[in-house]
Amino acid sequence: CLCNLLTRHFFLAFLSADTDHVYSMFRLFSSWLKTSMPQIHRHFEAIHLGPELYLLNWAFTMYAKILPLDTACLVWDNYMLEGELTIFKTALALLKMHKTQLLGCSFDQAIKLLLQPPEDLDPDVFLKTINNIVVPDRIAEAFASMERKYYAPKLEIGGTPNGKNGRSPARLRVPSSPASFQRNI
């Protein structure tokens, strides 16, 4: 599971320090937030609170710092079943649950609220909130396009023969990835 997490384009962007890709994801999330929760989006713009100030912390730790472990495990399961958009859906669910509080917050208050674990979080209600978030077609298409652009594994066969049969190992190369993510198959 960890290998699958780290070789997907979302986490690969963070690990390889691909700032263009990372900021493209933040813009995509911001666009989705604007569509699904325009009041929060307007308020965040007014107080100059961009998604990079909270989403990076949430996503990079797969919500382990912000959610109780049992709830974070549910998010991880969702991620493995449904893919990387779960990261954004989880963020939207957290913002939705804090909506009333966030609309009255200053920048400092909002950051403090967004970076501390929510009180009295019911895991079942939270999971239902995540699962009820609809992914607009344009967001799904943009995310898929981003995945194709940044994560297009290539199978290379060749090199020096090794082994008894004289065949060369195949190597799976993932663009923008550190050498440690290239695997022999």
Side-chain angles (χ1 to χ4, degrees):
C1 288
L2 181 61
C3 184
N4 286 333
L5 273 173
L6 298 178
T7 58
R8 299 295 301 263
H9 86 94
F10 191 91
F11 289 101
L12 212 48
F14 293 110
L15 294 171
S16 63
D18 186 343
T19 54
D20 290 339
H21 186 188
V22 171
Y23 278 96
S24 293
M25 288 187 284
F26 289 149
R27 283 190 298 275
L28 184 61
F29 176 79
S30 187
S31 172
W32 193 358
L33 178 61
K34 183 177 184 178
T35 302
S36 63
M37 290 184 266
Q39 287 179 310
I40 288 185
H41 183 267
R42 277 193 304 274
H43 181 65
F44 281 5
E45 281 191 333
I47 62 172
H48 307 289
L49 179 60
E52 65 277 2
L53 298 173
Y54 56 92
L55 188 59
L56 180 64
N57 186 325
W58 291 352
F60 199 61
T61 63
M62 281 294 293
Y63 297 94
K65 284 180 78 174
I66 190 74
L67 295 174
L69 185 58
D70 60 335
T71 307
C73 287
L74 294 172
V75 171
W76 302 345
D77 287 345
N78 251 10
Y79 174 86
M80 292 300 170
L81 291 171
E82 297 181 18
E84 294 177 293
L85 279 173
T86 297
I87 296 165
F88 286 171
K89 288 174 69 173
T90 303
L92 290 171
L94 278 168
L95 294 175
K96 190 174 196 171
M97 295 182 80
H98 288 303
K99 182 179 179 180
T100 305
Q101 293 170 288
L102 286 169
L103 289 174
C105 286
S106 67
F107 175 86
D108 293 336
Q109 294 166 330
I111 285 290
K112 184 177 179 184
L113 179 65
L114 293 173
L115 297 181
Q116 67 185 8
E119 296 176 16
D120 302 326
L121 181 71
D122 181 342
D124 293 329
V125 171
F126 185 61
L127 194 59
K128 284 179 186 174
T129 303
I130 293 169
N131 291 330
N132 287 333
I133 291 176
V134 177
V135 180
D137 289 341
R138 67 178 182 76
I139 297 294
E141 289 166 11
F143 204 82
S145 172
M146 196 179 303
E147 186 173 26
R148 284 189 302 275
K149 178 179 178 183
Y150 292 102
Y151 180 78
K154 295 178 175 77
L155 183 62
E156 297 175 355
I157 300 176
T160 309
N162 68 1
K164 294 178 186 176
N165 63 8
R167 293 177 47 196
S168 301
R171 181 174 294 272
L172 181 64
R173 295 203 183 270
V174 180
S176 302
S177 69
S180 61
F181 289 110
Q182 297 173 2
R183 292 181 272 159
N184 288 328
I185 55 173

